[in-house]
Amino acid sequence: MNSPSPQSAAAAKHEAALLRAERGVAALAQSRNDRWYPAFHIASDGGWINDPNGLCYYHGRWHVFYQLHPFGTQWGPMHWGHVSSADMVTWRREPIALAPSLQEDRDGIFSGSAAVGDDDVLRFYYTGHRLLNGVEGAGKRESQLMAQAHDENVERLDKLGVVIPYPNDRVDEDFRDPKVWKMDGIWYMIVGARTLEHRGQIWLYSSADMITWTFAQVLFEHPDPNVFMLECPDFFPLTDARGERRWILGFSAMGAEHHGFMNRNVNNAGYLIGSWTPGTTFEPSTEFRPWDCGHNFYAPQSFSADGKRQILYGWMSPSSEPNPMQEDGWCGQLTLPREVTLGTDGDVHTAPVEEMRRLRADDVALGTIDLLRNEERVIVDDARTLEIDLVLDLKRSTAERMGIKVHATNDGDHTYVAYDDQIGRVVLDRRATARGDRGYRTAPLDAAELSHGLVNLQIFLDHGSVEVYVNDGHQVLSSYSFPSPGPCRVILTAESGTAHIAELTLHHLNGIGLD
Ligand code: FRU
């Protein structure tokens, strides 16, 4: 009998690792506690997830992959989980796509992206993570590897090995998260790197064939010497209202210190708007702006799906302890998909993709509502999931703070979303949240928004989270919110003054099919 070829032995090893991972997820899913499991956010049916990966549209389906630890509810050896959808509304689970099996990825299949070649092959670029002595803390090696979809169903990925080895003499361990795109006939890849001097940089590579990659240049170095690594870099053009092309450079910065309202999470994801032409470094023309001002947002990835829309998913990172999801057999969810645009104000806006409207089961229009000084008014007796669209009229209100309490249970616990007139910001306050970390986060309103005086809040309430889109995605706040058992009320609130709510509409939402 012939002995198996090295290729088929490697493929069999990968298959066996995928099978073990499927069993790991299934074991956790079997005893899952669903008290906070999402109805309309992507999550694994068991295990830990983090960054969205490999986002793409291919042969009539949307594909979302994500960092997955299939054997526990904490971060661990990374795999890629996978879901797909024909309409971006309802989703189905796909087999786990990638598991550690090669020498170079033996300790983790880290983050990466997808690109469809001119030959219509769907290729994936990911970071292989290898611990030098097989244990954390003893040094690591990160290199960029490639895989491709076996066929158009994308149920199986074939690994093709290293395309960019670890640059030993230029990097101190961290070198990861390739993002690939094509422009003017050339393939480009960016990778986040921590230099020997511990500066966070983004490196640019180019390729003619998607396989052989040549280092082009350092695209960007973070000006803050505390920032030692830029994870999950992203880079794409958008056209502004005047028809000019602007480049958006996104990254998840490690090491930035918090000050004032900024950088309040463990690590913080945001972007710069600027200009770029191939052969030059990126020239920012704005300050660093967060993609999302909430407690739980990190490592987003965007993709240009149909050549028209730039769509972004983030990971709702449970960045601080306590993290009560970990008791439930699963941990972590992605945000809703958001379309990234440049507004007439020149700013980046990220609003839920229009497909999200198709989740609405009904429209409950409650019209205009006036609250008396210090009034609290229950508008829903029990809803753990809901879309709440309201317009606050600042000019016809006198309240110091006015807004809405959600996940409000009999024990007085709730999460509070409000406009705070003293600071001119939208606040997501978890001081009275039932479980998990507390504290508050805020999103700014600019001078034009304040003088206009009508603030639109679109709030997506899921079993364990709140996402608040301010003025059609000019700002967003995403945070976990873990209610106590029992009925969950929604309560309008005016503090120390009156509130005029110009418009209020509720929508019950259908699930996305992943429960
Ligand atoms: C960001 C990150 C990435 C890495 C992955 C590992 O959350 O640290 O840089 O590829 O997660 O899970």
Side-chain angles (χ1 to χ4, degrees):
M1 209 172 86
N2 291 337
S3 57
S5 69
Q7 286 89 339
S8 64
K13 194 172 170 199
H14 191 210
E15 283 297 317
L18 290 170
L19 203 62
R20 278 195 299 280
E22 292 287 359
R23 289 202 196 104
V25 168
L28 288 159
Q30 213 177 17
S31 54
R32 195 178 76 204
N33 183 337
D34 281 343
R35 55 189 168 164
W36 301 313
Y37 193 80
F40 55 88
H41 288 87
I42 292 171
S44 176
D45 41 359
W48 161 284
I49 76 164
N50 50 284
D51 321 354
N53 292 153
L55 305 177
C56 59
Y57 182 75
Y58 185 62
H59 283 263
R61 291 192 78 79
W62 303 90
H63 293 273
V64 170
F65 300 80
Y66 47 82
Q67 290 280 281
L68 166 71
H69 179 217
F71 305 114
T73 57
Q74 58 303 101
W75 189 89
M78 280 293 135
H79 296 56
W80 276 27
H82 180 197
V83 292
S84 78
S85 168
D87 56 8
M88 235 198 299
V89 181
T90 50
W91 293 80
R92 78 172 183 225
R93 296 201 188 281
E94 299 287 353
I96 295 171
L98 290 169
S101 66
L102 304 173
Q103 167 77 351
E104 295 82 1
D105 66 21
R106 68 177 188 202
D107 297 304
I109 309 288
F110 274 18
S111 285
S113 58
V116 182
D118 300 331
D119 53 3
D120 198 34
V121 173
L122 176 58
R123 299 198 166 81
F124 298 88
Y125 299 87
Y126 68 93
T127 297
H129 180 74
R130 180 161 70 92
L131 298 171
L132 281 184
N133 295 336
V135 289
E136 289 289 349
K140 63 189 180 205
R141 291 286 175 268
E142 294 185 331
S143 48
Q144 314 319 320
L145 288 83
M146 193 172 121
Q148 66 186 33
H150 195 71
D151 55 39
E152 64 188 48
N153 296 326
V154 200
E155 277 167 12
R156 216 173 92 207
L157 271 47
D158 299 321
K159 287 187 178 179
L160 297 171
V162 173
V163 288
I164 302 182
Y166 176 74
N168 220 349
D169 52 342
R170 294 186 59 202
V171 152
D172 187 8
E173 299 195 347
D174 296 308
F175 178 59
R176 58 179 176 269
D177 308 338
K179 177 82 199 293
V180 169
W181 77 98
K182 190 181 191 189
M183 193 176 97
D184 300 334
I186 298 174
W187 290 98
Y188 292 97
M189 179 195 291
I190 47 171
V191 183
R194 172 191 196 150
T195 65
L196 297 177
E197 298 76 31
H198 292 194
R199 297 298 296 254
Q201 293 187 344
I202 295 171
W203 292 9
L204 181 71
Y205 290 80
S206 69
S207 172
D209 60 4
M210 302 183 90
I211 296 166
T212 307
W213 293 88
T214 313
F215 176 78
Q217 67 186 105
V218 174
L219 182 71
F220 176 72
E221 176 174 275
H222 200 286
D224 179 351
N226 292 317
V227 172
F228 59 86
M229 173 63 187
L230 300 175
E231 299 188 297
C232 302
D234 201 350
F235 195 42
F236 54 89
L238 289 178
T239 307
D240 71 13
R242 288 179 311 197
E244 278 170 32
R245 186 188 250 203
R246 313 283 283 137
W247 280 85
I248 315 300
L249 182 68
F251 48 81
S252 292
M254 302 178 84
E257 285 176 5
H258 62 76
H259 56 93
F261 294 114
M262 286 296 288
N263 298 335
R264 283 282 152 186
N265 296 336
V266 175
N267 293 314
N268 296 274
Y271 61 88
L272 303 158
I273 307 175
S275 53
W276 178 67
T277 43
T280 67
T281 56
F282 169 73
E283 288 299 328
S285 52
T286 63
E287 73 294 353
F288 175 80
R289 298 175 180 174
W291 283 114
D292 185 301
C293 299
H295 296 80
N296 304 110
F297 184 90
Y298 196 63
Q301 180 176 103
S302 75
F303 67 118
S304 172
D306 33 21
K308 293 189 205 98
R309 291 191 291 176
Q310 193 77 25
I311 297 172
L312 177 129
Y313 277 92
W315 164 44
M316 288 196 63
S317 147
S319 66
S320 39
E321 302 289 329
N323 180 357
M325 279 175 287
Q326 286 180 311
E327 300 155 20
D328 290 358
W330 69 285
C331 184
Q333 66 187 40
L334 304 185
T335 63
L336 296 182
R338 300 170 182 177
E339 184 175 353
V340 190
T341 52
L342 280 174
T344 47
D345 50 16
D347 294 344
V348 166
H349 294 234
T350 60
V353 295
E354 63 185 25
E355 283 86 344
M356 288 304 110
R357 290 169 182 268
R358 292 174 45 200
L359 287 177
R360 294 174 179 170
D362 57 16
D363 297 291
V364 185
L366 299 182
T368 303
I369 296 182
D370 280 293
L371 297 184
L372 301 172
R373 188 178 180 87
N374 298 322
E375 186 179 348
E376 299 231 316
R377 191 181 303 178
V378 176
I379 51 161
V380 178
D381 289 323
D382 188 15
R384 280 171 182 254
T385 68
L386 199 63
E387 180 188 336
I388 306 165
D389 295 337
L390 74 160
V391 179
L392 301 173
D393 187 333
L394 309 189
K395 291 186 178 152
R396 295 172 66 187
S397 304
T398 63
E400 266 182 33
R401 291 205 300 182
M402 58 175 158
I404 195 155
K405 292 178 178 171
V406 296
H407 286 163
T409 43
N410 288 338
D411 51 14
D413 292 336
H414 61 265
T415 297
Y416 186 28
V417 179
Y419 166 71
D420 183 327
D421 197 45
Q422 295 193 37
I423 54 174
R425 287 174 165 253
V426 175
V427 176
L428 198 164
D429 191 339
R430 295 198 305 198
R431 100 182 58 172
T433 199
R435 301 282 299 278
D437 195 27
R438 298 198 158 174
Y440 68 96
R441 294 289 183 274
T442 75
L445 295 171
D446 66 22
E449 288 171 313
L450 288 170
S451 78
H452 177 59
L454 293 175
V455 176
N456 171 237
L457 302 179
Q458 186 182 14
I459 302 173
F460 287 89
L461 194 62
D462 208 336
H463 290 280
S465 63
V466 182
E467 260 172 281
V468 183
Y469 294 85
V470 182
N471 290 338
D472 297 322
H474 194 192
Q475 302 293 343
V476 193
L477 300 113
S478 302
S479 297
Y480 287 112
S481 164
F482 303 119
S484 305
C488 277
R489 284 186 292 277
V490 176
I491 307 170
L492 294 176
T493 302
E495 292 177 68
S496 189
T498 61
H500 182 74
I501 291 150
E503 231 178 282
L504 176 63
T505 308
L506 308 177
H507 306 279
H508 294 91
L509 297 178
N510 295 316
I512 57 169
L514 291 178
D515 36 1

